[in-house]
Amino acid sequence: MSTDVSPSKQIPHIRELPLLGSFRDFTGDRLGLFMRISQECPEIGAFQVGPMRMLLITSGQLAQSVLINQADEFFSGKLLQALVPLMGARNLIIIHGDEHRQQRKLLAPAFQPRRLSDFAAVMADYAAQMVAGWAEGEVIDITEQMPLVTMRVVGKTLFDVDFKHEARELNDAMTVSVDYLDYLSSSLVPLPLSWPTPRNARTRRALATIRNQQTAIIEERRRNPGKDMLSSLIGFRDENGQGLTDEQLRDHASTIFVAGHETVAIGMSWTWYLLQHNPEVYAKLRQEVDSVLGGRLPTAEDLPKLSYTLQVVKEAMRLYPPGYIISRAPLHDTRVNGYEMKTSDTLLISPYTLHRNPELYPEPEKFLPERFAPEAEKARPRYSYIPFSAGPHTCLGNFFALMEAQLLLSVMVQRVNLEALPNQKVVAHPGVSLRMSSYKLRVSRRAPVERPQAHVASA
Ligand code: HEM
């Protein structure tokens, strides 16, 4: 039973074609469709994708009711079943209720702030290695480079494995797998993976590469346990002496591996795109990095001083939230803020549209990192910025991700200048995440910057 006692309200349905509904826009111009619904329907708007009724939530307040106040009445829904081939059926994102609470409690200690500061050195070091590998004048594709480094970071910090040599093969497998997930989540009748089509054959190979890698790491950690997250999951026993099943272990490992590197890489790529179009922001960022760090690598202690860097990262994720779509479905017919919702409905909450509310973010399309200066941030309602979702399924890696982005960006800005090749058309690919098309940047090395002067107290 819903706890909602607000007066009943009708959900407006947008104008669309008979039968197919908004299928064409949902697959071909998803962001345009979401923006149109946000403008036409101030709280919630319904549309059809073939036989499926979808409800796009367009107000922060209603999003808060679904994600937080009535969270127990919802689960992740049909759309996110697309994640199963890659993350397994017991992955944290799609399980719910008591099973979710229990499993999340097991994973959470790895992400405590105390642990995170140990990870800073790995993040900064891997960023420095990536940049050192680029030659003067070389042209890099930022969308290819970022996942290589974020994958290494997750491998080392959470599994104690260095993917230096496997990163490229794993990344290729990830690209094929994510293309398949995009296909699954946007097809009315997807062909089963067992059918012998070229796409399916490619996908099966890619999924096997990733799954085999996870299994090999789990085997290795069983033989040589360490202090990493995976070792503690393997060593966990409940009050009855029961450990996690192999399936649970593999699903957690895949979820952390996939959720933990792809999103940060996407966020970083969009950040570089925005910096290229906003040279004054790039200059101010460089100035902060140089004055805080000089030529040395950043540590966890530097993070509070790299405050503009963090504002740049947050503003980039306001405009291009990698997790641009959060999906839910009611566990039983229910009512939220007066709106009737059925178990057959798919609810969508889009940080992409919520972050473009002009009342909260004037001139929303402008890239203005100062929006995230501490005072400005405090002045906005609590859930007006949700790149990491909210409620019981809030991203487990949100602090990890922000810290990683801050460190990777500061090391890159410190050591190289990146300049976009002219006349590139960059487009967003809104599938399971908000990927970006290829983006080429020319590398030039920066002259070493002096170390900042240590402050010497006068006697
Ligand atoms: C910029 C980077 C990231 C973004 C934008 C992001 C976004 C999200 C979003 C939107 C969800 C939510 C789901 C929902 O409510 O259904 C989520 C869940 C999750 N994320 Fe992240 N994420 C990022 C980085 C990371 C990292 C670095 C890790 C781990 C190393 C991670 C691990 C997870 C996990 C385990 C969940 C599932 C949580 C649960 O269902 O209880 N994420 N993330």
Side-chain angles (χ1 to χ4, degrees):
M1 265 296 285
S2 163
T3 48
D4 180 43
V5 289
S6 345
S8 178
K9 288 186 271 185
Q10 186 78 25
I11 299 180
H13 199 111
I14 63 163
R15 261 188 311 132
E16 56 187 4
L17 295 172
L19 293 176
L20 280 181
S22 296
F23 175 72
R24 200 173 294 163
D25 281 345
F26 188 70
T27 49
D29 179 23
R30 191 173 295 180
L31 297 176
L33 173 69
F34 286 4
M35 285 307 290
R36 179 159 68 85
I37 299 174
S38 300
Q39 277 146 14
E40 288 174 10
C41 314
E43 279 198 302
I44 183 168
F47 63 102
Q48 289 292 134
V49 174
M52 199 176 354
R53 183 171 87 142
M54 297 207 168
L55 305 176
L56 181 72
I57 290 177
T58 55
S59 90
Q61 216 184 10
L62 197 52
Q64 186 178 335
S65 298
V66 171
L67 293 175
I68 301 164
N69 310 348
Q70 290 179 234
D72 280 349
E73 298 181 48
F74 294 91
F75 75 115
S76 58
K78 240 192 278 169
L79 209 64
L80 285 188
Q81 287 297 316
L83 297 178
V84 168
L86 189 54
M87 298 183 180
R90 304 256 60 83
N91 81 67
L92 203 60
I93 298 176
I94 66 171
I95 56 179
H96 60 93
D98 286 343
E99 182 186 6
H100 174 257
R101 274 186 279 277
Q102 244 172 28
Q103 296 299 312
R104 189 166 162 121
K105 231 159 95 190
L106 291 182
L107 294 175
F111 296 94
Q112 278 167 358
R114 186 174 47 82
R115 294 301 313 273
L116 292 189
S117 56
D118 297 341
F119 299 161
V122 175
M123 293 167 175
D125 177 36
Y126 282 1
Q129 287 185 34
M130 168 179 71
V131 171
W134 297 339
E136 178 68 22
E138 182 178 343
V139 173
I140 55 144
D141 182 340
I142 196 76
T143 64
E144 280 176 8
Q145 293 292 314
M146 295 315 309
L148 300 179
V149 70
T150 56
M151 187 181 287
R152 276 188 83 194
V153 166
V154 168
K156 190 67 194 166
T157 52
L158 299 171
F159 304 143
D160 195 17
V161 179
D162 188 350
F163 288 135
K164 185 171 183 185
H165 301 294
E166 297 85 351
R168 219 166 260 284
E169 185 196 2
L170 281 175
N171 191 46
D172 290 347
M174 271 297 297
T175 307
V176 173
S177 307
V178 173
D179 280 345
Y180 177 73
L181 303 194
D182 289 350
Y183 157 77
L184 266 193
S185 63
S186 58
S187 302
L188 282 182
V189 194
L191 296 178
L193 192 54
S194 54
W195 284 31
T197 65
R199 182 210 298 274
N200 283 351
R202 238 185 1 257
T203 306
R204 283 198 303 268
R205 274 198 304 277
L207 290 171
T209 303
I210 297 169
R211 282 301 222 184
N212 290 343
Q213 185 72 37
Q214 302 303 326
T215 310
I217 295 172
I218 293 171
E219 289 310 311
E220 169 58 22
R221 286 283 78 82
R222 275 195 211 285
R223 280 193 300 272
N224 291 311
K227 290 203 170 107
D228 55 288
M229 182 200 71
L230 191 55
S231 299
S232 40
L233 286 181
I234 292 171
F236 168 78
R237 295 292 173 271
D238 66 12
E239 59 276 18
N240 306 317
Q242 204 69 22
L244 295 179
T245 63
D246 280 354
E247 186 196 8
Q248 284 174 316
L249 277 176
R250 236 191 2 251
D251 291 357
H252 288 328
S254 314
T255 304
I256 296 291
F257 171 73
V258 177
H261 85 274
E262 156 95 354
T263 41
V264 182
I266 293 174
M268 292 302 298
S269 299
W270 283 114
T271 304
W272 276 104
Y273 167 78
L274 289 162
L275 287 176
Q276 296 296 316
H277 287 82
N278 294 274
E280 64 301 337
V281 175
Y282 192 178
K284 189 169 167 187
L285 177 63
R286 209 182 272 132
Q287 203 196 355
E288 174 177 270
V289 168
D290 290 351
S291 74
V292 173
L293 301 176
R296 68 179 170 80
L297 281 181
T299 63
E301 285 72 51
D302 293 311
L303 292 171
K305 288 176 257 161
L306 293 166
S307 58
Y308 188 68
T309 313
L310 183 61
Q311 291 169 36
V312 167
V313 166
K314 287 184 171 176
E315 172 70 345
M317 286 204 284
R318 177 186 72 81
L319 279 169
Y320 296 105
Y324 75 105
I325 195 170
I326 298 163
S327 132
R328 293 288 184 272
L331 286 161
H332 48 79
D333 290 355
T334 187
R335 226 167 102 119
V336 184
N337 298 17
Y339 295 111
E340 306 285 343
M341 299 176 182
K342 300 200 172 311
T343 51
S344 53
D345 290 332
T346 294
L347 270 69
L348 302 176
I349 296 163
S350 173
Y352 181 91
T353 57
L354 293 174
H355 292 173
R356 280 171 167 73
N357 177 349
E359 281 167 24
L360 298 169
Y361 301 101
E363 300 188 273
E365 292 300 334
K366 282 201 174 151
F367 181 58
L368 302 172
E370 287 75 8
R371 297 186 209 266
F372 288 91
E375 288 311 310
E377 219 177 359
K378 260 189 239 143
R380 281 189 297 269
R382 180 144 180 230
Y383 296 106
S384 55
Y385 182 67
I386 53 163
F388 298 107
S389 188
H393 280 275
T394 301
C395 175
L396 200 52
N398 57 355
F399 296 112
F400 182 111
L402 286 176
M403 174 172 106
E404 182 181 2
Q406 214 180 346
L407 290 167
L408 297 186
L409 187 59
S410 57
V411 172
M412 293 170 79
V413 165
Q414 176 188 54
R415 305 207 160 187
V416 286
N417 278 317
L418 294 178
E419 195 185 338
L421 298 193
N423 307 323
Q424 296 186 74
K425 186 167 159 16
V426 168
V427 289
H429 291 299
V432 284
S433 47
L434 192 57
R435 283 194 287 165
M436 158 180 156
S437 59
S438 130
Y439 193 46
K440 303 264 169 60
L441 301 168
R442 189 176 302 282
V443 177
S444 59
R445 227 153 263 299
R446 292 190 66 204
V449 186
E450 288 295 303
R451 272 174 163 273
Q453 291 293 313
H455 177 71
V456 182
S458 51

